[in-house]
Amino acid sequence: LQPVLSNKPRKKKKKRKTKKTPAGDTVEDNDLEDIDSLLEKIEETNGLSQQTQDGILTDSRPLLYVEHRNLNPENELKRYFGARAVLGDQRPRQRQRQYVRSTWLTAPKNTWPRYSKTGIAMQLLDSRRGVQHFTFEHHREYQQVQFKFLDAVESMDPNNIVLLLQMNPYHVDSLLQLSDVCRMQEDQEMARDLVERALYSLECAFHPVFSLTSGTCRLDYRRPENRAFFLALFKHLMFLEKRGCPRTALEFCKLILSLDPENDPLCVLLLIDFLSLRAREYTFLTRMFQEWESHRNLSQLPNFAFSVPLAYFFLSQQEERSELELSQARERAARLLQLALVMFPGVLMPLLDHCSVQPDARVASHSFFGLNAQLSQPPALNQLTSLYVARTHSLWKDPAVMAWLETNVHEVLCRVDARDPLVEECEHKRKTQYQGAPRNIYRHVILSEMKEATAGPSPLLSPSLPQEVTSQPVMGFDPLPPLDSIVSYTRPER
């Protein structure tokens, strides 16, 4: 599954129509929405959308292009509930507050300590082939705080981190570590707030030409100073998803992937399909699959193998599309789902189990999907299938989806009984390709905190993390550091 670079031309994607605001909104609400529509007009006139021969608006932007307004969960909540419900009466009060710099990743809060320079900076390392490589740097005073932080972590007493934050309220690793502590103590609100503060601290250190949205700015995860940014973005998107803002979470996921698409250090490819489905961004998911499959083998990841046909299935249900598009989507959905079931038969039974669905007699008695399908999977593949089922089973519960799944499961059993050569080919791939998982997958499993992915669908099949991963303590501020870290400064001997 090692990624390879590709310079393939980009495929086109339909531009989604923007939603109009409910007519019942007051003038004030419309002011807010007007800003959005203005931004949109500016973006459209930037040459980002272009007419094709048939007059349909296509999206000519790069796949991982990030839109500023989609990074703000309030915009998503306003679409669901209207601006009045989201913002309430907080507008007039904001005019009296002290000047704070405006940021894209989070909005600074009145309750936060006053921000002053922390000693983090960002440097442009080099530009090559239209891509710019940056790195965060820690100045001397920040390094001293970092050493105190490591002492506090080793003391195993969270109060020491609290004390450190009182003196240095924007020290990023302390904020992330304390956020984990709060989450374990069920204080979600505080945990979320600390992650947002960490993001604010990092954004205040951005280099003037570092762009969140262009998709051409890279950060190397091997440098310890860069890791906090990846981790803070990941933790933030997990909170957004839990809050019911999947579209905003998807935008943050694209942002993380754009920082290092080749190595994907937090393996967000295991998550991006789920967020796309939750946000109903089906065209984004199918476009990603078309553009990346040839050089990234996405179909060899169970989550893409199953989620892409599911996206085509949902597209085939959208009545506003032409009959040709609908029949193409139906055909692709069926073809890709059958491929997924042949390649990963071990997904079906745990999926049905999670959806509380009993398989019919033919499926239950057939050895192809039986217990052996799971037992014969290599542990690394077990890990991926458990993670996928635990994360996405709710999307499969829909009765229409289940009926479609059942039809295709029977088709697959016919192919198995007819000795389709593809079946043997896929079995061979399963046995040879998933011998061990790369470190970024284990990092992802740890950060996702899905019990099923570490405990497995049943005690027999526990896809526990391997010895080389569990032998070292896992630190929330730096889980499973890369083995080839680029260290710029070290802690003095004690």
Side-chain angles (χ1 to χ4, degrees):
L1 295 182
Q2 270 314 305
V4 204
L5 272 169
S6 152
N7 299 320
K8 280 184 25 176
R10 305 271 175 202
K11 288 207 177 63
K12 311 281 184 210
K13 165 187 148 187
K14 284 224 166 127
K15 185 102 176 73
R16 288 194 319 142
K17 292 198 187 75
T18 52
K19 293 207 179 74
K20 302 215 166 39
T21 59
D25 277 359
T26 58
V27 180
E28 276 179 275
D29 297 341
N30 284 337
D31 286 351
L32 286 157
E33 307 292 350
D34 282 350
I35 296 170
D36 276 357
S37 54
L38 262 173
L39 277 173
E40 194 153 299
K41 282 201 186 85
I42 292 167
E43 276 175 346
E44 298 215 339
T45 50
N46 269 350
L48 296 171
S49 303
Q50 51 199 38
Q51 299 290 126
T52 53
Q53 297 82 351
D54 50 6
I56 297 171
L57 269 178
T58 62
D59 200 336
S60 59
R61 297 182 285 210
L63 181 73
L64 296 180
Y65 176 87
V66 171
E67 275 186 82
H68 277 142
R69 67 203 174 104
N70 286 334
L71 292 171
N72 183 351
E74 281 189 355
N75 289 338
E76 182 169 7
L77 293 167
K78 277 184 326 206
R79 280 205 298 277
Y80 300 146
F81 306 112
R84 165 111 327 177
V86 176
L87 296 173
D89 301 322
Q90 60 173 279
R91 268 160 303 193
R93 275 210 307 271
Q94 282 191 321
R95 292 191 188 119
Q96 295 133 26
R97 47 183 299 189
Q98 54 178 13
Y99 168 74
V100 275
R101 58 187 291 172
S102 98
T103 44
W104 292 113
L105 296 176
T106 55
K109 300 189 179 126
N110 287 330
T111 50
W112 288 359
R114 199 181 174 87
Y115 178 81
S116 59
K117 284 263 182 282
T118 56
I120 301 186
M122 190 191 252
Q123 173 124 3
L124 173 60
L125 293 175
D126 67 359
S127 298
R128 49 180 191 268
R129 297 207 305 275
V131 172
Q132 294 149 315
H133 295 259
F134 294 87
T135 184
F136 282 101
E137 289 185 329
H138 294 169
H139 293 160
R140 248 205 104 103
E141 63 272 30
Y142 195 91
Q143 293 180 16
Q144 299 305 318
V145 181
Q146 190 71 11
F147 300 146
K148 285 181 189 153
F149 163 73
L150 295 170
D151 293 342
V153 169
E154 282 170 9
S155 74
M156 307 292 274
D157 181 356
N159 292 320
N160 289 335
I161 298 177
V162 175
L163 289 170
L164 186 66
L165 272 175
Q166 281 169 355
M167 304 296 292
N168 310 275
Y170 287 93
H171 179 255
V172 177
D173 283 348
S174 298
L175 291 165
L176 294 180
Q177 190 73 16
L178 195 59
S179 169
D180 284 353
V181 173
C182 292
R183 215 179 54 253
M184 285 165 195
Q185 294 170 350
E186 303 293 316
D187 186 352
Q188 300 296 330
E189 201 55 46
M190 188 63 179
R192 202 170 80 202
D193 196 67
L194 291 164
V195 167
E196 289 184 15
R197 221 161 91 191
L199 278 177
Y200 180 70
S201 176
L202 289 162
E203 188 171 355
C204 288
F206 280 179
H207 189 279
V209 298
F210 180 80
S211 158
L212 290 169
T213 54
S214 66
T216 56
C217 294
R218 303 282 182 265
L219 285 173
D220 192 338
Y221 196 80
R222 291 173 305 169
R223 295 178 182 271
E225 296 90 332
N226 292 338
R227 287 174 210 159
F229 189 50
F230 283 87
L231 295 165
L233 289 169
F234 190 93
K235 288 168 194 278
H236 185 56
L237 85 80
M238 297 298 274
F239 283 123
L240 287 168
E241 198 275 318
K242 285 196 186 83
R243 264 176 83 189
C245 296
R247 181 66 191 83
T248 313
L250 173 62
E251 210 68 9
F252 274 91
C253 196
K254 282 157 65 177
L255 172 55
I256 296 173
L257 190 53
S258 76
L259 294 174
D260 188 352
E262 286 75 48
N263 302 306
D264 188 11
L266 302 187
C267 215
V268 292
L269 278 179
L270 297 181
L271 175 68
I272 201 163
D273 61 297
F274 168 63
L275 294 175
S276 305
L277 291 169
R278 280 266 284 118
R280 302 190 174 162
E281 291 287 322
Y282 308 129
T283 320
F284 168 76
L285 182 56
T286 54
R287 179 188 170 194
M288 181 171 204
F289 185 70
Q290 285 164 6
E291 288 188 19
W292 284 34
E293 168 61 14
S294 61
H295 66 285
R296 290 295 285 269
N297 288 333
L298 295 182
S299 57
Q300 302 307 298
L301 293 169
N303 58 310
F304 270 91
F306 281 89
S307 288
V308 172
L310 188 55
Y312 277 120
F313 174 77
F314 287 133
L315 286 172
S316 77
Q317 306 288 297
Q318 295 182 343
E319 282 147 18
E320 69 272 19
R321 293 177 179 273
S322 71
E323 192 42 57
L324 175 68
E325 285 180 303
L326 294 178
S327 69
Q328 276 181 340
R330 276 194 295 274
E331 185 275 321
R332 279 183 186 156
R335 183 169 51 81
L336 290 171
L337 181 62
Q338 288 176 35
L339 263 175
L341 288 162
V342 171
M343 182 66 204
F344 304 109
V347 170
L348 182 68
M349 291 308 188
L351 182 61
L352 294 179
D353 195 37
H354 269 73
C355 295
S356 312
V357 170
Q358 282 290 317
D360 61 33
R362 182 189 179 200
V363 177
S365 63
H366 202 293
S367 63
F368 186 69
F369 290 117
L371 191 59
N372 191 44
Q374 291 152 274
L375 286 171
S376 62
Q377 287 186 150
L381 183 53
N382 236 334
Q383 193 103 49
L384 294 174
T385 54
S386 305
L387 188 67
Y388 179 69
V389 169
R391 189 171 265 153
T392 39
H393 63 89
S394 58
L395 299 167
W396 290 84
K397 276 185 174 163
D398 178 275
V401 173
M402 268 298 158
W404 166 71
L405 175 63
E406 185 182 20
T407 310
N408 285 289
V409 165
H410 283 284
E411 284 289 323
V412 166
L413 288 182
C414 293
R415 290 170 75 168
V416 172
D417 294 340
R419 302 274 164 107
D420 185 329
L422 180 71
V423 176
E424 202 175 316
E425 198 183 304
C426 287
E427 188 184 354
H428 177 69
K429 267 190 190 167
R430 271 199 305 283
K431 289 196 166 129
T432 53
Q433 280 187 349
Y434 301 90
Q435 287 319 305
R439 211 166 163 85
N440 61 343
I441 288 184
Y442 293 128
R443 205 176 283 133
H444 179 92
V445 169
I446 290 165
L447 286 170
S448 299
E449 296 190 332
M450 302 209 89
K451 292 181 187 72
E452 294 90 341
T454 43
S458 72
L460 269 176
L461 305 168
S462 173
S464 54
L465 295 167
Q467 180 68 39
E468 72 267 17
V469 170
T470 51
S471 54
Q472 260 99 41
V474 172
M475 293 300 174
F477 68 93
D478 189 8
L480 299 187
L483 301 171
D484 53 352
S485 290
I486 301 172
V487 178
S488 57
Y489 67 94
T490 47
R491 196 172 166 190
E493 287 295 316
R494 304 197 39 206

